[in-house]
Amino acid sequence: MSASSESHDQPRRCKFQRDWLRQLLQKHAHQHPTLPPDLQTKALVVAPMVDASDLPYRLLTRRYNTNLCFTPMIHAKMFMGKTNYRRKFWKEHGGMPPEDRPLIAQFCGYDKDVLLAAMKIVEDHVDGVDVNCGCPQNIAKRGRYGAYLMEEEGGDRIVEIVKHLTANLNVPVSVKLRILPSGIDDSLVLYQRLVDAGAAMLTIHGRNRHQKQRLQGNANWDDIKRVVQLVGHRVPVLSNGSISNMDDVRRCLEHTGADGVMSSESILEYPPLFTETNVESTKYKRTGPGRLQIAADYVDLCKQYPPDDGGQGSGLKCIRAHLHRFLHQDLQTHTNVRDEVVKTFTMEAADNVITMVREIHEKNEHDVSEEKLSWYVRHRGGCDDEDGGSGDAEEDDFAEEKKVATVQEEEDEGCPCDVFGEVCADDGDY
């Protein structure tokens, strides 16, 4: 009997009730008093992102209605084999601070025993663990993880991984996936096999691994709706893709019937994404904090949780990348600020960036209410450029820095980060 037929003939009962996610969100609901009533039982999630969903950033998003966060994608083999790598992502004694909950730790890898060993280290300090089956990068292909793991051995390997993890862990095991290149029908077969294997939640990015960067297109919410219809009565399903504001959140939830939405790129640029700002009811005006305030608050959190302290991800590399995204619109025309961001190798340099932008805003009588997303729309035919700059020129200026950072990351850690460009864990929600 093949692995495929065995999976269908002998489905496993999930260790966790269908409403485990709802119960988790309700337990922590007091942390989000401004969350609209219609969304209080829905998950508003920050995605797992290499060198992007670091602890200070997660804490920043939690101030603005994010009620569930994922860690950055963690390479399981390196987590087990390299002390310095593990220290980047995890505090050895007690895990993350209590205010960083609920939290799901995401790992990548293809060896079920290595994945289990890595997850065992964190399971007592998180609310769940997740297997990355979404990363579309070439390094994921070489490493046999991410979106390519979905296709290995006809899906048998990831199914066996989930069986092994769910049998030996005491927290919910979830899987973050894309649509298979062969289409949604084949994808649905695999998703059901994963639920039969014991997966407690699925997150579906509504694109296949070929849809990234300038070839991305819109996420297919119709496909995600079919996933909800197939397995949504058994496990929670999160929708990932094409979320730029709270209007999109509500449209997506209504269309797909999902238990929540996951955001990456849009919330990377503007962490208060899950608030009523830049939406139809505000006439698309920004009613939340401006980008400068967001950048300053993030830098302050980085001082509370400094880069050389365990669990902060890649430290100053993260800080440079976040400043670039938060302040993307300012960097289009103010090359002196852009140069300063590139040189941000100390906290003092980060403070200097904040000071420079504040002086520019004061001089120009900057109006926060007119701010719009800029970095997020760079693959959408240009950005809304309130200062008259062009999106493409800025990307060129960072090309060499991006290239060096990516090569170094691949050599040192086995998972890339494009410091001033793409999100490398799963290329996010776009």
Side-chain angles (χ1 to χ4, degrees):
M1 181 181 292
S2 70
S4 299
S5 59
E6 182 179 0
S7 172
H8 285 303
D9 291 344
Q10 300 177 2
R12 296 187 177 192
R13 182 175 180 180
C14 182
K15 289 182 179 179
F16 300 90
Q17 296 180 349
R18 166 61 179 80
D19 65 346
W20 72 267
L21 178 62
R22 179 190 295 258
Q23 292 178 10
L24 177 65
L25 298 177
Q26 290 176 332
K27 177 182 176 181
H28 295 270
H30 63 280
Q31 300 173 11
H32 308 286
T34 64
L35 191 63
D38 62 322
L39 296 174
Q40 289 181 355
T41 59
K42 296 294 187 179
L44 304 178
V45 189
V46 164
M49 297 171 285
V50 172
D51 285 339
S53 50
D54 52 294
L55 173 61
Y57 172 77
R58 296 197 303 267
L59 294 178
L60 180 62
T61 65
R62 292 182 188 277
R63 296 177 179 178
Y64 301 105
N65 291 337
T66 291
N67 58 11
L68 177 61
C69 288
F70 280 58
T71 67
M73 181 185 75
I74 304 170
H75 195 293
K77 183 177 179 180
M78 302 195 70
F79 189 79
M80 295 304 300
K82 295 191 175 185
T83 302
N84 288 340
Y85 180 87
R86 183 189 299 186
R87 187 172 178 273
K88 283 175 57 176
F89 294 101
W90 200 250
K91 292 180 182 293
E92 291 291 348
H93 304 289
M96 296 297 107
E99 57 267 32
D100 189 32
R101 301 290 286 271
L103 181 67
I104 293 178
Q106 189 194 66
F107 290 84
C108 69
Y110 67 90
D111 186 309
K112 64 183 181 182
D113 292 318
V114 174
L115 281 163
L116 177 61
M119 291 176 175
K120 274 291 185 184
I121 291 173
V122 307
E123 75 168 329
D124 291 337
H125 307 288
V126 296
D127 300 284
V129 292
D130 186 82
V131 181
N132 182 302
C133 285
C135 181
Q137 307 293 339
N138 287 333
I139 196 168
K141 183 177 182 179
R142 296 195 298 272
R144 298 171 62 190
Y145 61 84
Y148 301 92
L149 185 60
M150 296 173 62
E151 303 170 53
E152 190 162 318
E153 300 172 13
D156 290 352
R157 179 172 288 272
I158 181 57
V159 170
E160 288 304 313
I161 286 172
V162 170
K163 284 183 180 179
H164 187 60
L165 297 178
T166 56
N168 293 284
L169 290 168
N170 296 313
V171 292
V173 175
S174 60
V175 190
K176 188 174 188 302
L177 306 124
R178 285 187 174 234
I179 308 298
L180 284 166
S182 57
I184 185 59
D185 291 334
D186 288 341
S187 302
L188 292 172
V189 173
L190 177 59
Y191 302 157
Q192 182 158 312
R193 292 182 64 195
L194 292 172
V195 174
D196 289 346
M201 181 172 74
L202 302 181
T203 300
I204 309 299
H205 184 165
R207 299 181 177 90
N208 63 47
R209 60 178 170 82
H210 300 298
Q211 293 175 276
K212 55 185 178 179
Q213 299 178 23
R214 298 187 188 280
L215 300 178
Q216 63 198 2
N218 291 326
N220 193 322
W221 290 354
D222 289 335
D223 284 353
I224 297 173
K225 179 178 181 179
R226 291 185 62 183
V227 181
V228 173
Q229 291 170 338
L230 179 69
V231 298
H233 63 292
R234 299 175 60 189
V235 298
V237 177
L238 302 182
S239 177
N240 180 206
S242 296
I243 301 295
S244 64
N245 61 24
M246 283 289 270
D247 288 344
D248 289 339
V249 169
R250 289 188 170 91
R251 280 192 289 265
C252 179
L253 292 173
E254 181 178 2
H255 187 94
T256 64
D259 295 86
V261 298
M262 176 182 284
S263 177
S264 59
E265 288 218 335
S266 50
I267 205 167
L268 268 181
E269 180 175 350
Y270 192 61
L273 174 76
F274 295 135
T275 61
E276 303 290 351
T277 183
N278 296 105
V279 293
E280 184 177 4
S281 64
T282 67
K283 298 182 180 179
Y284 301 101
K285 298 289 186 180
R286 178 157 292 178
T287 56
R291 57 182 181 249
L292 175 61
Q293 185 62 55
I294 291 297
D297 289 347
Y298 172 72
V299 170
D300 286 344
L301 282 167
C302 290
K303 294 174 183 175
Q304 271 185 261
Y305 301 94
D308 57 352
D309 191 13
Q312 310 317 310
S314 293
L316 286 163
K317 184 190 293 184
C318 292
I319 295 171
R320 286 201 308 275
H322 280 301
L323 288 177
H324 169 260
R325 295 168 186 136
F326 297 151
L327 302 173
H328 184 269
Q329 188 67 66
D330 298 293
L331 306 185
Q332 304 308 294
T333 53
H334 302 291
T335 56
N336 58 328
V337 180
R338 189 162 68 227
D339 293 343
E340 196 66 26
V341 172
V342 172
K343 295 183 292 185
T344 300
F345 296 106
T346 65
M347 291 306 302
E348 290 77 13
D351 282 331
N352 192 38
V353 170
I354 301 300
T355 299
M356 292 172 71
V357 175
R358 179 173 288 113
E359 290 174 352
I360 290 170
H361 283 195
E362 290 175 352
K363 179 180 179 181
N364 296 339
E365 298 182 346
H366 178 77
D367 184 356
V368 169
S369 71
E370 295 299 322
E371 290 184 3
K372 304 232 180 342
L373 293 177
S374 171
W375 179 77
Y376 171 74
V377 298
R378 70 202 184 286
H379 291 318
R380 292 169 176 75
C383 61
D384 294 326
D385 198 339
E386 65 200 50
D387 294 325
S390 70
D392 292 338
E394 184 275 336
E395 298 295 339
D396 293 338
D397 287 333
F398 280 100
E400 188 61 31
E401 176 79 8
K402 290 159 60 177
K403 177 180 173 183
V404 171
T406 302
V407 170
Q408 179 181 351
E409 183 79 7
E410 289 188 20
E411 291 177 346
D412 291 349
E413 300 173 4
C415 51
C417 176
D418 189 342
V419 173
F420 294 114
E422 312 314 321
V423 182
C424 297
D426 187 6
D427 277 336
D429 65 16
Y430 295 111

